[in-house]
């Protein structure tokens, strides 16, 4: 499923983000940037040990911020590491922190001249963000970013399982078109 926002494409696919050939893939990391489980573990395995070595030099990452590294053995030349909110811990601030994780990732992509970015569903695994709440925030933040930054041409959400894809498809159908 895909839509156009201005001249940019926003698309939803089911798959493994480590296999994507976009200019960057986004990692749902933790503030240490030193690896973990879920998509973070898969990205570090796919990139190889040089990624961890570079991440050690990045000085960690605050919740809602993003840092860029090389992609090493991945098809994508870059990994943008962001940290989403922990749903139960961050409470009322969780929606803005989730939006910030997407927005900062795209700002970093734009600052580095990148044109295509693949995202996983940030915070909806180990960090416990309910999918039905997270998906509309993710899609609206990306659609709003496109309106202000025509340099980004493609954002692909790479959703690991059918349930996650279905939640994003439902949210995309309901996305306000203003
Ligand atoms: N490709 C795409 N999506 C994936 C992949 C993959 N290869 N593997 C898992 N997912 P999570 P979070 C999906 O837990 O909630 C880590 O330990 C997964 O099914 O990876 O932001 C970090 O170090 C889910 O839909 O990230 C942090 O400590 C989504 O990715 C913490 O987990 C996000 O799940 C971050 O938690």
């Amino acid at each position: 499923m895909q839509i156009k926002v201005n001249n940019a494409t926003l698309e939803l696919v089911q798959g493994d983000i480590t296999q994507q050939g976009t200019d960057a893939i986004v990692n749902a990391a933790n503030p240490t940037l030193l690896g973990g489980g879920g998509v973070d573990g898969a990205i570090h395995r796919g990139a190889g040990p040089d990624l961890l070595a570079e991440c050690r030099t990045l000085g960690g990452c605050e919740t809602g911020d993003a840092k860029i590294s090389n992609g090493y053995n991945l098809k994508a030349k870059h990994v943008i590491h962001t940290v989403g909110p922990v749903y139960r811990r961050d409470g009322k601030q969780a929606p803005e922190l989730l939006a910030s994780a997407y927005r900062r990732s795209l700002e970093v992509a734009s600052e580095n001249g990148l044109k295509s970015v693949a995202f996983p569903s940030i915070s909806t695994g180990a960090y416990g963000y309910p999918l039905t709440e997270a998906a509309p925030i993710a899609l609206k933040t990306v659609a709003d970013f496109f309106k202000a930054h025509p340099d980004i041409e493609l954002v692909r959400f790479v959703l690991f399982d059918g349930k996650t894809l279905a939640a994003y498809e439902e949210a995309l159908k309901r996305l306000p078109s203003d």
Side-chain angles (χ1 to χ4, degrees):
M1 187 171 177
Q2 68 173 45
I3 62 161
K4 286 269 185 192
V5 181
N6 297 355
N7 278 327
T9 301
L10 194 174
E11 70 180 11
L12 309 179
V13 301
Q14 188 174 345
D16 178 352
I17 202 164
T18 66
Q19 303 304 312
Q20 302 299 312
T22 42
D23 293 339
I25 63 173
V26 175
N27 184 14
N30 62 65
T32 70
L33 298 187
L34 299 181
V39 71
D40 194 4
I43 287 173
H44 276 271
R45 279 193 298 280
D50 289 346
L51 178 59
L52 181 58
E54 184 176 356
C55 283
R56 288 190 195 285
T57 71
L58 297 179
C61 184
E62 289 185 12
T63 302
D65 199 3
K67 301 263 178 97
I68 192 166
S69 73
N70 289 314
Y72 300 99
N73 296 336
L74 294 164
K75 279 188 205 161
K77 283 213 169 61
H78 299 278
V79 178
I80 295 171
H81 306 264
T82 191
V83 181
V86 177
Y87 187 72
R88 290 192 181 279
R89 183 196 66 194
D90 291 318
K92 284 202 177 97
Q93 291 178 322
E96 180 45 35
L97 289 168
L98 185 63
S100 176
Y102 283 98
R103 194 163 48 237
R104 284 291 304 135
S105 296
L106 291 169
E107 282 171 4
V108 167
S110 181
E111 284 160 15
N112 284 274
L114 309 185
K115 308 224 167 286
S116 59
V117 179
F119 278 101
S121 177
I122 296 166
S123 284
T124 65
Y127 281 180
Y129 214 117
L131 264 177
T132 51
E133 294 177 33
I137 294 169
L139 296 175
K140 182 166 190 329
T141 305
V142 171
D144 286 350
F145 191 89
F146 281 154
K147 291 170 194 159
H149 296 81
D151 50 313
I152 301 283
E153 294 170 359
L154 169 70
V155 168
R156 178 182 298 147
F157 282 85
V158 182
L159 305 161
F160 206 45
D161 52 33
K163 184 177 147 222
T164 307
L165 176 66
Y168 277 74
E169 284 179 342
E170 194 54 39
L172 189 56
K173 284 180 207 150
R174 293 165 189 260
L175 187 69
S177 57
D178 56 346

